Amino acid sequence: MRIGLLGYGTVGSAFYAMAQEHAQTEVAALLDLKTHDGLNCRQTAHFDDILSDGGIDTVVELIGGLHPAYEFVSAALKAGKNVVTANKQLISACYDELISLAEANGVSLRCTAAAGGGIPWLHCLTRLGQTDKITAVSGIMNGTTNYILSAMTERETEYADSLREAQRLGYAEADPTADVEGYDACRKLVLSANIAFGVSIPEAQVPCFGISGITARDIAAFKRMGLVCKLIAHAEMRDGSVSACVEPMLFPVSGQMAHINGPDNLISLRALRVGVQSFAGAGAGGFPTASNVLADCLQVAQGCGPFYTRQRRPLAVDNDALKQKYYIRTADAARSETLTVSAAHALALRYKNGQQPFFMAAVAEEN
Ligand code: HSE
């Protein structure tokens, strides 16, 4: 396999180093704005150099973001090159279009590192989907927010200080809004649900309520109740309709969730025959993420199909049926109330639009 590598940041440089260890994966060219010393490949600042190189059969996109990643990936697929990427934003936003391009051009598109970082989560969903019916996917899908919430719980720090620390340690995205408001977890949830359920749900229909409104007083109140707070993305397929959202959730201190701290992820699936399976590990970071990118390349080299699944039934998100107990805190007081997911997120939006203090967290039913 001759690879055109796009990007040489934390994940790109780790991928380059790991690809050197395998005879099948030769990085023939690197696209980056800067030139790097000591690399054993051609370096260019122009994507056309990679696109027009007939010897490059696979493009590994590790620049992230929507643009120019979208233009590069679609051009590569149209030119008959396989694409491996860690870009959850791109694949979640352009799901149908990019898979259709891969199918039409007889090439492969893989993005295992886009959800779960170093955990082979999407690969496991595909494998299990061949023998069982997956009915739910859920969990901690964002390392930055888990780091912030863990720090606030363990060290009783305020939100802003914990966010600064997460940024300093390199867990947060360049703009941490996507992490703290739940959009990053939402993109990973959409990919997971689409692959698990064989559907295509629009990202814009998945409500996200993040952790930017949480205070040290909320955390202290949760502690008194024997609970810890985690940002959870969850989707469930029931009677042909899908519910999906991202929201803080409260778990007992004695349960499994409470022990996933720092930037780690814990992602679970529920299926009819195998029951619940959980996967924990590094959800971010150079080498863990690069390891999934490299494993995707090796699968592509072995001739895998266009995408993880051929099924992508368009489906609207329906959050009207799922009812949960919520902790709700406004400027005046905190209360507990049972609401549908739709009603809870509509309430959150009203407070957000009115720029009034508000925080909510669903109370987990199990563990
Ligand atoms: N910012 C992301 C996170 C990186 O914190 O999980 C990995 O997708």
Side-chain angles (χ1 to χ4, degrees):
M1 165 179 276
R2 292 190 80 239
I3 294 169
L5 173 61
L6 315 185
Y8 199 74
T10 310
V11 181
S13 54
F15 172 80
Y16 180 86
M18 289 182 76
Q20 304 303 304
E21 295 162 8
H22 291 262
Q24 303 103 301
T25 49
E26 179 197 343
V27 177
L30 167 69
L31 173 79
D32 200 41
L33 295 178
K34 282 187 282 190
T35 308
H36 301 272
D37 293 334
L39 301 192
N40 185 21
C41 69
R42 198 168 84 239
Q43 298 191 45
T44 176
H46 304 287
F47 178 65
D48 279 347
D49 290 342
I50 288 179
L51 193 64
S52 61
D53 182 339
I56 290 178
D57 52 76
T58 302
V59 164
V60 171
E61 185 274 305
L62 298 173
I63 48 181
L66 270 186
H67 302 287
Y70 167 79
E71 287 76 13
F72 292 171
V73 163
S74 20
L77 293 169
K78 282 179 195 160
K81 298 184 194 298
N82 305 300
V83 170
V84 174
T85 176
N87 192 331
K88 57 244 160 171
Q89 189 177 1
L90 174 66
I91 305 293
S92 170
C94 308
Y95 191 75
D96 294 315
E97 182 186 343
L98 294 177
I99 300 170
S100 300
L101 272 181
E103 287 171 349
N105 291 284
V107 290
S108 299
L109 172 65
R110 286 294 182 280
C111 57
T112 310
I119 305 168
W121 162 246
L122 296 183
H123 175 71
C124 291
L125 286 180
T126 316
R127 203 175 127 90
L128 189 67
Q130 289 163 4
T131 56
D132 206 338
K133 187 171 164 55
I134 301 170
T135 56
V137 288
S138 67
I140 300 169
M141 299 195 187
N142 180 267
T144 303
T145 46
N146 203 51
Y147 179 87
I148 294 171
L149 293 171
S150 306
M152 289 181 77
T153 306
E154 285 163 16
R155 302 202 290 274
E156 303 188 349
T157 47
E158 272 298 348
Y159 168 79
D161 300 325
S162 311
L163 169 60
R164 265 195 298 277
E165 183 73 2
Q167 285 177 299
R168 193 181 63 74
L169 291 169
Y171 301 134
E173 300 290 314
D175 175 0
T177 313
D179 293 299
V180 299
E181 300 303 344
Y183 309 140
D184 175 79
C186 174
R187 291 161 188 155
K188 294 166 179 170
L189 180 68
V190 167
L191 280 180
S192 307
N194 282 354
I195 292 172
F197 307 148
V199 299
S200 172
I201 57 173
E203 186 187 310
Q205 290 182 7
V206 179
C208 296
F209 183 76
I211 62 161
S212 60
I214 198 167
T215 63
R217 285 183 70 180
D218 290 319
I219 298 277
F222 302 151
K223 271 192 185 170
R224 285 195 297 276
M225 295 186 272
L227 300 169
V228 292
C229 185
K230 301 286 178 188
L231 185 70
I232 299 295
H234 60 103
E236 191 171 338
M237 184 67 134
R238 192 182 287 182
D239 302 329
S241 78
V242 70
S243 65
C245 75
V246 178
E247 60 192 6
M249 203 173 255
L250 301 173
F251 295 86
V253 284
S254 52
Q256 186 186 21
M257 272 292 183
H259 295 102
I260 306 298
N261 289 317
D264 278 2
N265 285 189
L266 174 72
I267 327 177
S268 303
L269 61 84
R270 194 176 65 225
L272 290 184
R273 298 232 163 86
V274 302
V276 174
Q277 289 189 344
S278 298
F279 303 80
F287 281 106
T289 308
S291 144
N292 252 338
V293 177
L294 183 62
D296 276 355
C297 288
L298 297 177
Q299 274 222 308
V300 168
Q302 284 158 18
C304 59
F307 195 63
Y308 300 88
T309 172
R310 287 189 177 272
Q311 293 174 349
R312 42 182 197 283
R313 182 164 58 94
L315 198 59
V317 173
D318 177 0
N319 282 326
D320 287 340
L322 181 59
K323 275 193 170 176
Q324 306 180 116
K325 192 164 133 191
Y326 282 90
Y327 161 93
I328 291 172
R329 193 263 303 145
T330 61
D332 313 319
R335 65 179 191 274
S336 138
E337 195 174 340
T338 299
L339 294 168
T340 63
V341 170
S342 308
H345 284 260
L347 182 70
L349 196 60
R350 278 205 296 281
Y351 276 88
K352 187 180 174 187
N353 290 342
Q355 298 190 325
Q356 292 168 289
F358 180 88
F359 187 71
M360 70 173 188
V363 182
E365 273 186 359
E366 52 198 53
N367 195 18

